[in-house]
Amino acid sequence: MDGQWLASPWLIPAAVGAGVVALGLLALMLATPVYKHIICAKYLFCGWKAVVPLVSALPAALGVFLLILVFAIMDGFVRETREMTRGTLSDIIVDAHMEGLPHYEELARRIEAIEGVEAASPVIQTYAVARVKPRLSSIKPLVRPCVIIGIRPGEKAEMGRFHEYLQRQRGSQYAAADLLNVPEAWHRGPRPARPGCIAGVGVIGAPMSSPVPETMREGAGRRVLAAFLAVPAALASLFVWRAGRRRQGRAGWTVATILCVVVFMALVAAASFMPVREVQITRPQVIDFPLLPYGGDLVVSTIPIRPSGALAMEAGGIPKVSSRAFTVVDRFKSGYWEADSSHVYVDFDVAQQMAGMDAQPAAEGKPAVPARTNQIQVRIADPSQAETLVRKIEDVWRDFGRERPEVGVLQLSINTWETQQRMILTVVEVERNITALMLGVMLLGFGVLIGLISYVMAYIKARDVGILKALGARDAGVGSLFLGYGFIIGVIGVTVGMTAALLMLANLDPIEVWVNRTLDIDVFPREMYYFDHIPQHTSPAWCVAIGAGVLALSTLASMAGGLLAALKQPVEALRYE
Amino acid sequence: MADTILQGVSLVKEYRMGASRLRVLRDVDVRVARGEFLCVLGPSGSGKSTLLHLLGLLDRPTEGRVVFEGQDAFARPKRWRDRMRNEAIGFVFQFYYLMPDLSVLANTLLPAMVRTPLAAWPAVRGGHRRRALEVLTDLGLSERVAHLPRELSGGERQRAALARALVHQPRILFADEPTGNLDSATGEEIMRVITRRTRRDGLTVVMVTHDQRVAEQADRILRLHDGKLLRGA
């Protein structure tokens, strides 16, 4: 749970609202006749029969537990996926596709002049084939499809979180982030004249899963389990003690009470004092994308595209292939597999030449061709203003196109990074929403169950209803007795479910390790999900909303019993005998 | 009869039985004087319990009026009838109808609990408790106050029910076959308590029974047969 919610503008209104609701509930409680409190408490906590209504709190607890747990994990997935995809892009992308955009420097300057835009940088992006040379001639080279991305290192450093993903190369004298600011870093190695590149870890190696030692806190899972079990043990102690008190002189009850209390205390002691120690475990994990036995050289080949959109051709109709050797000066790993397995970042000018987008002088009666780029990446000051700034950039582009008719015919796509990546984000978000919907439907089923239990309770307690009405209790009052009963069941369910969910979320990784080791079930295969931990994001607002929703559902569901009790005629109820 | 506390005027009660209607009470007129011990005697199914429920404001008559202390009870709001049942009326039933999860003392305190909000309870609880203990002691239940109803004998249960009906000093007590579920000795003991309350405290009692010997302890007996009061009763 991060602390961002503390800065939320909704915090104070929400706290005031919660306070008003709490005060309202307190006032309602104080104004309610005493018999409702006493009888409700008796129905809930008196004797062995009380186990049945308390069991009805379990569906509510289970619903809250599952909703919070699933929401936290799915939301964690969504957030971390968004972070990963965003890190490789900028806030807004002006995309001119493969045909290229001329006069881009001027357009970038105009975009930078828009209020709220901090930087605009041209980027070349074209498809290619990467060949990783082996160190030994007996080994076949690696050949992969890739995307060449031409960047201006100083400007790219200001875009997204790209610099955070650079893995420092072994033996490099520069810090990884300096690659984006120190030009010499791109020309290191035995051939300084050769341009450098930053390749995705998946381009120059294959993911290697290996059992690696890892330090874990052993015992944390057992502590949580003991804490979970202590709650029913405490309830059992209370019930047995209450039952024993009603049956004085029977030693068996005393012994049973002592046993329950001993079990409860043992569990509390285990939850508090069970040793937690650091242990070394081994489990499969993606540890590296090893280069060995491949060297640090990469040859990238692409086919340039002419300003007309046609492929550049050699004489005889053979496509002209533009190849260039690069020294891999660093690797990057964003966690977003599509980028990590295909992107090769090179200097903008080099990429422009390879893609045939550099300026061509006039020759043999042909006019001069200006330099072109594929994209202009834009960084903005306030990400929440992205959509507004997209519209402003569209206005700038329209004006620019009117001034330069040869550019104005191009079809540009101007999108935020979220729109650009909507496919992957939508998939994860849809998955989260479908899961929430399914759990919501399940919760409605729990609501029906609570309603049925409340109805059966009111049916069984029909004689009590008749007695209370004969003594002058009002219909609404007797009905609200069962509403209060449902409310308390909801409070118990929400408290138990929320506590269990938050405890589990706080100890998710130790619990996963414990399940993994004890049951030999790999709950979260890291190489499949590409996260090195189970992602989670617990939102206090969601917790409150889920708790309040389940509480409302439980209270509403118990209206079934409340209505039955309220509408029951006292004479009819007293004929029960 | 000058000081009438309760009057049933042309009372009719019908129950729907599918398409047909079952007339349980037919044009019954009853007048109860303050301080009187009235007994309604009749065989099983004669409608005496139904009459008691109507007079005790537990059920609404199909036709006719119930006048309680000069007020047409069913012309007044339901809230008024609820308040009357809580403050002015006491009930004793054949099957005791004690709350099974509450102790004898808590059962006795129930009328007070029904009318007192939680906020006011700490201030008045002591007084109600004292009064309840007095009544329970008077009925010989001082050793049983902490027990649950299931831990009491039949006679003790009925005495506890009687304590609950008397603790708030009602102006009228309705008793529906109070001895019907008890052995004769225990029944006599209960009747002694009721009679004593009538004679000593001037409590008005309306009791229904099918037992001639029990009915003979009342000041006046009304005989009910097939939902009609017999003439000359």
Side-chain angles (χ1 to χ4, degrees):
Chain A
M1 201 182 294
D2 55 41
Q4 284 179 353
W5 61 278
L6 282 171
S8 167
W10 293 100
L11 183 65
I12 291 174
V16 170
V20 168
V21 169
L23 279 177
L25 281 175
L26 184 66
L28 192 67
M29 270 180 67
L30 291 173
T32 306
V34 185
Y35 81 94
K36 286 193 219 172
H37 301 281
I38 290 178
I39 292 171
C40 197
K42 292 287 177 187
Y43 283 177
L44 283 164
F45 305 115
C46 184
W48 288 105
K49 283 179 289 181
V51 174
V52 177
L54 280 179
V55 165
S56 63
L58 280 180
L62 194 61
V64 170
F65 174 76
L66 286 176
L67 269 177
I68 291 180
L69 198 67
V70 168
F71 251 93
I73 293 176
M74 296 295 279
D75 208 36
F77 261 102
V78 171
R79 281 171 178 264
E80 295 209 11
T81 307
R82 285 165 71 96
E83 284 302 309
M84 282 191 310
T85 53
R86 185 187 183 177
T88 56
L89 297 168
S90 59
D91 297 315
I92 296 171
I93 298 115
V94 179
D95 198 344
H97 311 293
M98 295 298 288
E99 55 266 37
L101 170 72
H103 311 298
Y104 54 85
E105 300 286 6
E106 190 185 341
L107 181 60
R109 274 199 305 280
R110 290 194 189 187
I111 291 171
E112 277 182 333
I114 298 171
E115 192 180 342
V117 172
E118 291 190 335
S121 176
V123 171
I124 294 283
Q125 192 164 318
T126 189
Y127 295 98
V129 173
R131 181 169 172 269
V132 188
K133 287 168 138 184
R135 282 186 180 150
L136 303 171
S137 56
S138 58
I139 300 173
K140 285 187 176 177
L142 279 177
V143 181
R144 305 272 164 87
C146 70
V147 178
I148 304 172
I149 301 177
I151 57 170
R152 288 178 173 162
E155 293 175 4
K156 184 64 181 173
E158 296 179 350
M159 300 288 174
R161 295 170 56 186
F162 182 73
H163 60 280
E164 293 177 18
Y165 302 144
L166 298 181
Q167 316 277 301
R168 189 190 296 192
Q169 280 280 40
R170 203 172 298 165
S172 168
Q173 58 181 303
Y174 302 104
D178 282 349
L179 277 170
L180 299 176
N181 292 312
V182 182
E184 294 78 26
W186 287 78
H187 298 282
R188 69 175 191 83
R191 299 188 185 92
R194 181 174 285 184
C197 75
I198 300 169
V201 286
V203 178
I204 50 177
M208 190 174 86
S209 178
S210 170
V212 290
E214 193 176 340
T215 305
M216 294 303 304
R217 291 172 68 230
E218 190 184 59
R222 284 196 285 261
R223 276 192 175 192
V224 172
L225 187 66
F228 279 172
L229 293 176
V231 176
L235 289 173
S237 305
L238 195 67
F239 287 137
V240 174
W241 172 71
R242 293 275 300 174
R245 213 175 60 148
R246 298 282 176 209
R247 295 164 178 80
Q248 288 166 354
R250 296 189 190 176
W253 288 104
T254 311
V255 173
T257 307
I258 291 169
L259 274 176
C260 286
V261 171
V262 167
V263 170
F264 166 69
M265 290 177 71
L267 288 167
V268 169
S272 310
F273 305 114
M274 187 178 278
V276 177
R277 58 192 176 117
E278 303 271 310
V279 292
Q280 291 282 325
I281 63 160
T282 53
R283 59 175 169 174
Q285 199 173 357
V286 176
I287 52 161
D288 203 359
F289 293 77
L291 287 169
L292 293 173
Y294 300 94
D297 285 349
L298 195 68
V299 177
V300 179
S301 305
T302 187
I303 300 173
I305 295 177
R306 292 176 182 281
S308 64
L311 294 176
M313 296 287 182
E314 300 275 17
I318 301 166
K320 179 183 174 183
V321 177
S322 171
S323 291
R324 194 90 184 238
F326 295 90
T327 303
V328 179
V329 293
D330 204 345
R331 299 180 289 159
F332 83 93
K333 181 183 171 188
S334 68
Y336 177 35
W337 178 242
E338 191 181 312
D340 292 350
S341 64
S342 64
H343 287 188
V344 176
Y345 290 86
V346 302
D347 182 75
F348 179 81
D349 295 332
V350 176
Q352 201 173 37
Q353 284 171 14
M354 289 183 71
M357 289 186 168
D358 52 334
Q360 303 290 328
E364 297 173 7
K366 291 181 181 175
V369 178
R372 293 169 294 145
T373 189
N374 290 123
Q375 282 184 355
I376 296 175
Q377 293 195 353
V378 181
R379 181 165 62 93
I380 61 177
D382 180 3
S384 67
Q385 296 297 310
E387 291 294 343
T388 310
L389 288 169
V390 163
R391 284 191 289 277
K392 287 185 178 173
I393 293 170
E394 283 170 349
D395 293 342
V396 167
W397 164 243
R398 268 193 293 276
D399 294 343
F400 190 71
R402 272 195 289 272
E403 290 170 23
R404 294 181 176 277
E406 77 278 15
V407 176
V409 296
L410 293 172
Q411 295 292 318
L412 257 63
S413 305
I414 304 171
N415 292 309
T416 64
W417 70 273
E418 278 183 295
T419 314
Q420 193 93 347
Q421 298 297 323
R422 63 182 175 275
M423 281 308 290
I424 184 166
L425 293 177
T426 306
V427 165
V428 183
E429 282 171 353
V430 164
E431 199 174 325
R432 179 189 63 181
N433 294 341
I434 287 175
T435 310
L437 189 69
M438 286 164 63
L439 286 174
V441 171
M442 194 173 75
L443 205 60
L444 280 179
F446 289 160
V448 171
L449 188 63
I450 292 171
L452 279 175
I453 291 171
S454 160
Y455 187 87
V456 171
M457 272 295 289
Y459 188 80
I460 292 170
K461 300 289 184 185
R463 197 174 61 177
D464 291 7
V465 169
I467 295 168
L468 289 169
K469 288 190 175 181
L471 293 176
R474 296 177 59 201
D475 291 347
V478 178
S480 67
L481 173 69
F482 289 89
L483 282 190
Y485 173 80
F487 179 78
I488 292 172
I489 282 179
V491 168
I492 294 169
V494 168
T495 308
V496 171
M498 200 175 282
T499 308
L502 294 178
L503 268 173
M504 187 147 182
L505 285 169
N507 296 281
L508 206 53
D509 280 330
I511 289 171
E512 186 240 339
V513 170
W514 181 71
V515 172
N516 201 338
R517 295 180 68 190
T518 312
L519 306 175
D520 199 24
I521 298 170
D522 194 0
V523 180
F524 187 77
R526 279 147 175 76
E527 62 274 24
M528 181 184 291
Y529 288 104
Y530 212 76
F531 289 106
D532 56 5
H533 62 284
I534 302 176
Q536 56 162 299
H537 175 260
T538 312
S539 156
W542 270 112
C543 287
V544 171
I546 289 169
V550 170
L551 207 53
L553 181 73
S554 165
T555 311
L556 277 175
S558 60
M559 276 183 75
L563 278 173
L564 179 70
L567 297 175
K568 186 73 110 184
Q569 291 299 319
V571 172
E572 191 187 332
L574 290 173
R575 282 205 191 108
Y576 179 74
E577 203 75 31
Chain B
M1 204 178 289
D3 193 9
T4 301
I5 186 169
L6 178 70
Q7 191 179 0
V9 183
S10 307
L11 292 175
V12 174
K13 183 66 185 176
E14 287 180 348
Y15 290 106
R16 283 179 180 276
M17 306 288 281
S20 63
R21 286 165 178 266
L22 178 67
R23 183 165 281 211
V24 181
L25 282 182
R26 302 154 191 260
D27 204 22
V28 173
D29 286 293
V30 184
R31 187 185 290 262
V32 184
R34 197 176 292 275
E36 184 185 18
F37 183 176
L38 175 71
C39 186
V40 180
L41 183 68
S44 182
S46 60
K48 54 187 188 302
S49 288
T50 303
L51 176 63
L52 188 91
H53 292 152
L54 298 186
L55 295 174
L57 314 184
L58 282 173
D59 203 2
R60 178 184 283 275
T62 311
E63 288 172 29
R65 291 183 299 135
V66 175
V67 180
F68 183 71
E69 293 186 326
Q71 305 274 340
D72 184 349
F74 289 94
R76 299 295 307 266
K78 190 170 183 312
R79 182 176 295 196
W80 181 85
R81 296 196 294 277
D82 292 338
R83 189 158 59 82
M84 286 302 109
R85 282 204 305 276
N86 181 252
E87 294 175 359
I89 298 173
F91 286 101
V92 181
F93 300 98
Q94 181 180 356
F95 297 106
Y96 330 122
Y97 292 149
L98 293 165
M99 298 288 281
D101 298 323
L102 299 183
S103 67
V104 169
L105 180 62
N107 262 293
T108 311
L109 285 170
L110 210 47
M113 289 180 186
V114 165
R115 68 172 165 269
T116 313
L118 183 64
W121 185 245
V124 299
R125 183 176 179 271
H128 286 305
R129 189 182 151 85
R130 261 194 308 281
R131 169 81 189 137
L133 287 172
E134 277 172 22
V135 175
L136 287 168
T137 305
D138 190 37
L139 292 170
L141 288 171
S142 56
E143 301 296 315
R144 301 297 230 168
V145 289
H147 287 75
L148 291 175
R150 63 171 172 269
E151 296 161 351
L152 304 179
S153 68
E156 286 171 328
R157 286 183 203 187
Q158 195 58 294
R159 275 187 280 153
L162 203 51
R164 186 182 65 192
L166 297 173
V167 70
H168 57 297
Q169 294 173 307
R171 298 195 281 277
I172 186 164
L173 175 73
F174 290 95
D176 187 358
E177 303 264 18
T179 61
N181 213 27
L182 302 173
D183 59 72
S184 57
T186 314
E188 280 171 21
E189 183 191 329
I190 293 296
M191 283 310 298
R192 263 199 303 278
V193 172
I194 293 175
T195 313
R196 193 176 75 225
R197 287 279 168 170
T198 314
R199 308 282 181 254
R200 191 184 71 188
D201 304 332
L203 176 69
T204 308
V205 178
V206 176
M207 184 174 76
V208 300
T209 183
H210 64 277
D211 190 334
Q212 176 72 36
R213 285 185 305 140
V214 170
E216 280 168 0
Q217 298 180 49
D219 297 336
R220 188 158 62 101
I221 299 173
L222 294 177
R223 293 178 192 279
L224 198 65
H225 190 78
D226 286 342
K228 293 183 79 169
L229 279 179
L230 296 181
R231 288 183 182 278

